[in-house]
Amino acid sequence: MPSFVAAGRTPGRAALLLLSFFAALLLSACEKKAGLEGHITDERGQPIPAVRVTALQDSPVSGYDHLEAETDAQGRFSFSRLFPQAAYTLIINAESTGRRQLAVKTGKNRQTTVLTSPVIFRFVFSSDMVVTDTRSGLQWAPDPDILVSWKQAKTYVRSLKLGGYSDWRMPTRAELRSLDGIDSTFPLNDCCVWTAEAKDDQKAWYYNVYRHFDDAAYIHNNSYRVLAVRTAGR
């Protein structure tokens, strides 16, 4: 009985490896993929590293529906294997920035889309929750979630040590006014905050951060919040 295997030559290991290489190359050429690149900074244009970015496909396709990246030292992130011409939601989340969502759409197959503008975060949080406002240069301590009188607020701020700093003080009305546009990531649990400014020997000024007005209240009134502030870089 004739042997067909003996009639020819059995492929060698090198030939099999070459065949596998070309098969993988062919599969790679047929694979659908698109890239996306972006940049995350604060309001001064300084990069924010170590921010996790998750790409969630709006209409999921298996293998393309959930991918993750992280910003490098220059604040850059990139994806290389997203589905082409597809809608994605980017979930941007880190302890230093809080959470934000961004809708994007990928380009054609094997094309990389670069976001035209950086994703900008105004408030940057340290590991001990000191909040730096990169617009004004002020640093804020979180609301301790207590209601206090004006004198209690002064006592609290004088004794505060946070982030390696002991030069915390009560804010002025102008400094509280500079918080215009804050969102839920800012650590304030109510609207009205005592200022450092006394109106007379009976009353002091407070500021409504969310409705943007000031008014005076009796200094023994314990219905207001306390925020401590300092100037960054000092």
Side-chain angles (χ1 to χ4, degrees), residues 163-180:
Y165 307 115
S166 58
D167 57 346
W168 297 99
R169 54 184 172 78
M170 290 177 70
T172 65
R173 279 178 287 175
E175 287 170 332
L176 286 167
R177 199 173 293 120
S178 76
L179 290 176
D180 179 45

Side-chain angles (χ1 to χ4, degrees), residues 24-80:
L25 197 63
L26 182 61
L27 285 173
S28 176
C30 295
E31 182 184 20
K32 292 183 177 181
K33 58 183 179 180
L36 180 72
E37 296 178 357
H39 191 204
I40 298 178
T41 73
D42 63 23
E43 288 213 355
R44 299 166 297 181
Q46 296 300 307
I48 305 178
V51 177
R52 186 173 67 254
V53 183
T54 303
L56 300 178
Q57 193 177 12
D58 293 0
S59 300
V61 175
S62 179
Y64 297 92
D65 54 336
H66 185 137
L67 293 103
E68 294 193 353
E70 186 174 279
T71 56
D72 62 16
Q74 285 72 48
R76 297 173 302 198
F77 65 89
S78 64
F79 295 93
S80 60

Side-chain angles (χ1 to χ4, degrees), residues 138-158:
L138 295 174
Q139 289 183 311
W140 298 87
D143 173 6
D145 201 16
I146 53 174
L147 295 172
V148 293
S149 69
W150 189 62
K151 289 185 177 180
Q152 289 171 330
K154 291 173 69 176
T155 300
Y156 168 80
V157 170
R158 277 199 300 264

